[in-house]
Amino acid sequence: MKQTFLSAVLATLALGASSQALAQNIEMRYSNLFSKLKHNIEESHPDVKIALYLIDQKTGQTCAVHKGWMQKEEHYEELVIPSDNALVIPLDNHLRQANPDVTFVIDDGITCDVSMQVIASKPFGASVSKAELAALLPQMDTLLNDLGGMFSSWFMPEVAGVVMHFPQEQQGSIQVSAQQSIEIQQGKAIVVLSEIPEKTVLSLPSSPEKVTPWLAKSSQ
């Protein structure tokens, strides 16, 4: 019995050591994250927000975040990692002044860059109406213009639709009507609102992981 228990303990320790060896820490300062995410406090775009992700340089895919925390001397707070692996922190001016270190744990052996994206705030289910999507477009325009500065509206194309992001292995299409569908390619489907009839309800194969803007002159 003692030998079995000891073997189990050693196996657990070995697994923990192996897990740590296969992970790396990405360290940031709270103030840097706050300066980007503070736009989410504004009331001009209640249905859209800024989200930060770590993106793999080689694959372009979102890097999986296994754990996150903030720490300032003896003060420590663990962060909740959402299912889409966004980098989420509580927005607080007192924390901004304290400026704690923020650490996120990702897989080892990869290089990930921080990407700032405008996304829909609320998740979609198995269906979504054109009216719901249309309500997002002016808010996405507002947030993109805020991020770009006072002259950005002069040269930035308008948001003309949305990109629905599914798991990369997702196949199939979004059903618009019996005669019209939108194919999902490499986990993405572009929904151009001008091509969708009024009062249409789109049927989705699954809930999208995120919904981002599609610009009129964008080829993304």
Side-chain angles (χ1 to χ4, degrees):
M1 177 67 72
K2 291 182 179 180
Q3 184 175 3
T4 302
F5 176 76
L6 179 60
S7 299
V9 171
L10 292 175
T12 302
L13 292 174
L15 179 60
S18 175
S19 299
Q20 291 177 1
L22 297 176
Q24 61 176 313
N25 291 351
I26 303 297
E27 297 181 352
M28 306 178 187
R29 298 307 298 270
Y30 179 89
S31 58
N32 292 336
L33 296 170
F34 181 93
S35 66
K36 299 175 176 62
L37 294 174
K38 66 181 181 181
H39 294 278
N40 293 339
I41 302 174
E42 298 168 5
E43 299 179 355
S44 58
H45 44 80
D47 300 316
V48 301
K49 65 179 181 179
I50 295 295
L52 300 178
Y53 298 91
L54 291 169
I55 303 297
D56 191 319
Q57 281 187 356
K58 290 185 177 180
T59 67
Q61 299 299 308
T62 302
C63 301
V65 179
H66 303 298
K67 188 178 181 180
W69 66 87
M70 300 185 301
Q71 189 163 9
K72 181 74 172 184
E73 298 174 349
E74 72 277 8
H75 300 288
Y76 174 94
E77 181 178 342
E78 189 159 347
L79 299 173
V80 175
I81 307 301
S83 58
D84 65 351
N85 292 292
L87 309 182
V88 178
I89 59 169
L91 297 178
D92 184 275
N93 281 321
H94 295 294
L95 283 171
R96 181 176 59 84
Q97 294 173 1
N99 199 21
D101 296 318
V102 183
T103 303
F104 296 101
V105 181
I106 64 171
D107 295 328
D108 198 12
I110 58 176
T111 301
C112 299
D113 297 324
V114 177
S115 172
M116 183 168 62
Q117 301 177 19
V118 172
I119 68 169
S121 300
K122 299 176 183 178
F124 291 113
S127 64
V128 60
S129 68
K130 177 180 179 177
E132 290 178 285
L133 296 178
L136 297 177
L137 269 54
Q139 297 183 51
M140 288 177 167
D141 268 324
T142 297
L143 187 47
L144 287 170
N145 289 332
D146 288 348
L147 294 173
M150 62 182 298
F151 299 113
S152 64
S153 60
W154 293 8
F155 53 82
M156 182 177 291
E158 288 188 354
V159 178
V162 298
V163 182
M164 294 192 175
H165 300 254
F166 299 91
Q168 192 174 23
E169 66 274 8
Q170 177 76 61
Q171 298 180 351
S173 61
I174 294 173
Q175 201 67 31
V176 180
S177 66
Q179 296 78 32
Q180 184 182 0
S181 63
I182 301 170
E183 186 178 356
I184 298 172
Q185 298 180 337
Q186 296 182 330
K188 298 179 182 179
I190 297 174
V191 181
V192 182
L193 269 291
S194 62
E195 298 176 356
I196 305 299
E198 296 300 324
K199 299 183 180 179
T200 295
V201 176
L202 288 71
S203 297
L204 314 179
S206 63
S207 178
E209 294 180 335
K210 61 184 176 182
V211 176
T212 60
W214 184 80
L215 303 183
K217 299 180 181 179
S218 174
S219 59
Q220 296 181 353

